[in-house]
Amino acid sequence: MTTDLDELYDELEGYAKAEKPKSRSPKEERIIAGFEEIQRFVEEHGHLPQPGQDRDIFERIYATRLDQIRNQPECREILAVLDHQGLLQGDTEAEAPIEDISDDELLAELGGSVGREDDIRQLKHVKSRAEVHAAEEIADRTPCEDFERFKPIFEAVHKELKEGVRETRKFELKSEIEVGRFFVVGGLIAYVAEKGETYSNEQGRTDARLRVVFDNGTESNMLMRSLQRSLHKDGDAGRRITDPIAGPLFSGIAEQEDLASGTIYVLRSKSSHPLVKQHGEVLHKIGVTGGSVEKRIANAALDPTFLLADVEIVATYILYNIKRTKLENLIHKFFEPARLEIQIPDRFGNLVTPREWFLVPLYAIDEAVNRIKEGTLADYCYDPLRAELHYRIQASASSILQKE
C-alpha cells in the first residue's frame, strides 16, 4: 500500500513539535548563576549562609543575595524549578539582621584584590573580619601616660598569683567584665580601670566603652564586647584572674561529706631573745599544717623557723576542704604590716630571717579567721598602729590608685 507523501506530512504536522531551548536574558542568567553559588555553599557547608561581620565575606554576600532573591517574585519564578534544596522557602537563619548592602558594595571591602570573575573565591592580601577587628583593637592601644599609678597594682597581682593568693580561671561570661577585674588576654594582664554607661548596640546587645590598662604600659578604650571576643579567641589562654578571696574559703562546721584538711595554729615563743621577750604578749607565729600541731612543734628548739626556742600553742582553727598553702599565704599577706623583722643565728652561726612571726594580738587573729570564714576578709586591712582590723570601702586596687 502506497502512502501519499503529502498526506503523511500533513498527518505528522499535527503532532507537537519539539520545543527549542528557551533563551534567557543576561539578567536571568546572572540570577541563576548567583543562585547556583548559594546552592554550592549550602552543599559544602551544610547550612544556609549567615550575615554578620565575623563571617567570611562570601558567606555575607550569599546571605544578602538569598534574602534579596526571596523578596523578589521575579527571581522566585525563575529559580523555582532549580530549587531542589528548598532555599526559597522561609527566612535566613540569621543571628543578626541582613546587611542592607549590595554584592558590589560588599566586594568593595576587598579593595580590588579579587581576581578574575571565574576565580572570585581566590582572595589575595585580604584579611578576615575577625583579623581586621583584632588588628583594629591592637592598633587602638596607646601608651598609658599615667601608668605609674597602675604599676603597683600589676606588681601586686603578679606577686599574688605567684603566692597562690590569686589564681586564673577560664573566662566564661561577659558579666565578669567589671571595673577592678583582671584578665589575661593576648599574653598580657589587663585591668579594667573604667567602664562607661551600658547601652544596646544595633543588634540589641548590651555593650559599654572600657578603659583597659595592660601590664606592658599600654591602654585601650575598647568596647566590652571587643574584650569578650579577644578573651574567647584566645581559647584556654584567655583567663580571668580571681580576687584575693573568691567567696568563703572554708566552713567552721564540718558537713558529713567533708574531710579535715588542716589546721591554722597560733604559737607564742619562749625565746629569751630581748626583742621576743619585749613583745611576748602580742608576738605570734601563724601557720597552717595538715598534720598534728604537736608533732609540728616537737623540735621547735632546733628549728630557726621557731626562733630556735620552745613554743606554746595559743589557738587552733580546724579547716575543711581548703588549700593550705594558699590560705597560709593569704593570712601572712594580710598581716604583712605587722611582720616581725628579726635575724637570728642558726646552729651553724648563719643568720636566718623567720618570716611567720607577727606583732598581732590574739583577738585580731581570731577576728581575721572569722572574716575568712565569712568570705569578707578582702573588705578589711590590718592597722598595726591600732592593732585592729580596719574596714575599707574599696578594694586594694582602688586604694592604690588613690595614693598620689
Side-chain angles (χ1 to χ4, degrees):
M1 176 181 178
T2 19
T3 306
D4 190 280
L5 292 178
D6 291 333
E7 290 179 3
L8 180 60
Y9 177 80
D10 291 338
E11 186 178 341
L12 293 174
E13 191 177 25
Y15 288 92
K17 297 179 181 179
E19 292 186 4
K20 294 181 180 179
K22 184 180 178 181
S23 61
R24 298 186 182 276
S25 68
K27 179 181 178 181
E28 291 174 331
E29 293 289 354
R30 190 167 63 250
I31 291 172
I32 293 173
F35 186 68
E36 288 175 343
E37 288 180 352
I38 299 173
Q39 289 179 312
R40 284 194 294 271
F41 175 90
V42 174
E43 288 175 359
E44 292 175 7
H45 297 86
H47 64 81
L48 295 178
Q50 303 290 317
Q53 291 188 340
D54 59 334
R55 301 284 180 171
D56 176 88
I57 187 153
F58 290 104
E59 183 173 359
R60 295 169 61 201
I61 291 173
Y62 298 153
T64 302
R65 182 185 297 165
L66 180 58
D67 186 65
Q68 292 172 343
I69 288 173
R70 287 172 169 176
N71 292 327
Q72 297 183 38
E74 178 187 2
C75 293
R76 296 173 66 94
E77 182 180 352
I78 295 171
L79 300 171
V81 296
L82 303 175
D83 185 23
H84 61 88
Q85 296 162 304
L87 302 183
L88 299 178
Q89 306 300 318
D91 298 321
T92 51
E93 300 173 357
E95 296 178 359
I98 293 294
E99 300 168 73
D100 187 15
I101 185 171
S102 69
D103 290 3
D104 291 337
E105 289 173 319
L106 280 172
L107 286 172
E109 294 189 18
L110 302 178
S113 298
V114 182
R116 302 185 312 277
E117 187 175 351
D118 60 351
D119 197 30
I120 193 171
R121 294 188 64 85
Q122 300 302 316
L123 303 184
K124 297 180 180 179
H125 313 300
V126 179
K127 294 182 178 180
S128 67
R129 293 306 299 169
E131 290 175 317
V132 171
H133 278 304
E136 288 172 349
E137 288 164 7
I138 292 173
D140 285 342
R141 293 185 190 176
T142 57
C144 180
E145 295 182 358
D146 57 344
F147 185 69
E148 289 302 316
R149 297 175 60 212
F150 297 95
K151 189 175 180 180
I153 299 175
F154 289 112
E155 291 175 347
V157 170
H158 277 287
K159 182 179 179 183
E160 289 167 353
L161 284 171
K162 185 177 180 180
E163 294 176 346
V165 176
R166 292 179 186 264
E167 59 186 29
T168 64
R169 296 178 183 173
K170 184 178 180 181
F171 173 78
E172 295 179 347
L173 303 174
K174 183 187 65 176
S175 59
E176 296 171 345
I177 301 176
E178 292 292 343
V179 173
R181 295 283 178 85
F182 294 88
F183 302 90
V184 179
V185 56
L188 298 174
I189 292 181
Y191 172 63
V192 181
E194 299 174 17
K195 181 180 179 181
E197 291 186 10
T198 301
Y199 65 92
S200 296
N201 60 22
E202 295 178 355
Q203 287 75 40
R205 300 174 181 176
T206 57
D207 211 340
R209 181 68 63 179
L210 308 174
R211 183 191 183 192
V212 181
V213 181
F214 300 88
D215 64 347
N216 67 345
T218 62
E219 67 172 278
S220 174
N221 291 326
M222 63 169 56
L223 290 172
M224 182 167 60
R225 287 196 171 275
S226 296
L227 177 57
Q228 177 189 17
R229 184 166 51 246
S230 297
L231 286 162
H232 282 308
K233 183 184 67 177
D234 281 354
D236 288 339
R239 312 287 287 180
R240 174 175 64 88
I241 299 177
T242 64
D243 294 330
I245 300 180
L249 287 178
F250 67 92
S251 170
I253 303 175
E255 300 294 340
Q256 185 174 358
E257 68 273 14
D258 284 343
L259 297 175
S261 57
T263 304
I264 297 177
Y265 59 84
V266 182
L267 308 177
R268 190 170 294 157
S269 177
K270 297 180 179 181
S271 171
S272 58
H273 190 287
L275 186 60
V276 175
K277 293 184 65 176
Q278 179 184 351
H279 302 286
E281 291 301 313
V282 294
L283 179 61
H284 295 102
K285 174 177 167 37
I286 309 173
V288 179
T289 180
S292 164
V293 179
E294 287 75 12
K295 289 184 177 180
R296 179 72 180 90
I297 66 175
N299 297 313
L302 304 177
D303 191 339
T305 304
F306 295 91
L307 304 179
L308 293 173
D310 290 330
V311 294
E312 61 176 318
I313 301 172
V314 178
T316 58
Y317 309 88
I318 300 177
L319 320 179
Y320 297 99
N321 298 328
I322 186 63
K323 295 179 180 179
R324 295 188 294 272
T325 302
K326 178 179 178 180
L327 179 62
E328 187 172 70
N329 288 334
L330 175 65
I331 295 172
H332 291 174
K333 178 178 176 58
F334 184 79
F335 287 119
E336 175 70 30
R339 192 187 297 271
L340 176 68
E341 298 295 338
I342 186 174
Q343 284 189 325
I344 59 173
D346 62 13
R347 291 178 295 167
F348 306 100
N350 300 314
L351 290 177
V352 294
T353 305
R355 303 295 297 166
E356 297 182 359
W357 291 86
F358 302 87
L359 296 166
V360 180
L362 182 60
Y363 63 79
I365 299 173
D366 188 66
E367 182 180 355
V369 172
N370 287 329
R371 296 297 178 192
I372 293 173
K373 292 179 181 179
E374 297 170 359
T376 60
L377 188 64
D379 297 329
Y380 292 82
C381 61
Y382 182 68
D383 186 344
L385 297 179
R386 297 182 180 181
E388 63 183 15
L389 274 65
H390 179 66
Y391 182 73
R392 53 184 179 185
I393 298 176
Q394 295 179 325
S396 57
S398 299
S399 301
I400 292 174
L401 288 177
Q402 291 178 348
K403 295 179 181 178
E404 296 290 346

